[in-house]
Amino acid sequence: MQSEINFAKLSKHEEQVLNYVGGYIPSALRKHYKKSQNLTSQKYVDILNMWCTDGHYEGQYSFLQYTQEWINAQNRGKLFKPNAELYLFFRALENETRKHLNTALLGKYRDINLREFLIQKLTTKYLVQSYWSRLVNGKCLSSTESKHLFYVIVNYFVNIRIKAFVVVFIDLKKVQDKTLSRKGSKSLRKQLDQNKES
């Protein structure tokens, strides 16, 4: 069933929003880990700092420059701008998430913990793991530390995406209910008018 559903490709605007989210998550985690004084937290802060860029993608990643336009326009010097490899990691997460978070498949997830389901799908996806390996390859993290940071970031991303999906779903449901309500009230008026005439 899933293969029959075509999920929409990311628009330019959506990629710019994803780039913002790709900076928001590491920025929030960096603030969190800075509060702790242990060695692992300091390693995480160092890695997160390495993933920040000045906002210009160069070389093989220059084709991604358009994803930085919105951040550059909004930035007053405080936004975390993800480097190209981090952005590609988040894009792989988003593309896999879109296969599962859509209204056509909503009924399928009725008895499933959607958060756990998505985390399992994302963490076992080869492309996601490949981009993650590029991000942490040659860095000072042990396998356990790398795995922990990976799950923390994926979990954060899934929480953001599920909340956004629920908001959109509720808004769509409200619009649908209003449309049905208007149609129902028109037919009720017609029926009342017909009863008056009889």
Side-chain angles (χ1 to χ4, degrees), residues 124-142:
T124 57
K125 187 71 177 173
Y126 173 78
L127 189 60
V128 170
Q129 290 180 351
S130 176
Y131 281 121
W132 180 255
S133 294
R134 287 185 196 177
L135 284 169
V136 296
N137 188 23
K139 306 299 188 278
C140 58
L141 296 179
S142 70

Side-chain angles (χ1 to χ4, degrees), residues 127-195:
L127 189 60
V128 170
Q129 290 180 351
S130 176
Y131 281 121
W132 180 255
S133 294
R134 287 185 196 177
L135 284 169
V136 296
N137 188 23
K139 306 299 188 278
C140 58
L141 296 179
S142 70
S143 175
T144 304
E145 291 166 338
S146 174
K147 188 179 279 189
H148 174 75
L149 186 58
F150 176 67
Y151 279 99
V152 167
I153 290 172
V154 169
N155 186 46
Y156 213 127
F157 179 81
V158 166
N159 286 339
I160 289 171
R161 283 299 281 119
I162 288 177
K163 284 179 186 175
F165 179 73
V166 167
V167 168
V168 169
F169 179 75
I170 289 171
D171 288 346
L172 288 173
K173 190 75 173 142
K174 286 178 183 177
V175 168
Q176 183 183 21
D177 289 348
K178 280 184 181 178
T179 304
L180 290 175
S181 176
R182 286 183 194 148
K183 287 180 181 176
S185 64
K186 286 180 183 178
S187 64
L188 180 61
R189 274 187 256 138
K190 275 185 178 178
Q191 191 176 20
L192 289 172
D193 289 341
Q194 288 174 351
N195 287 344

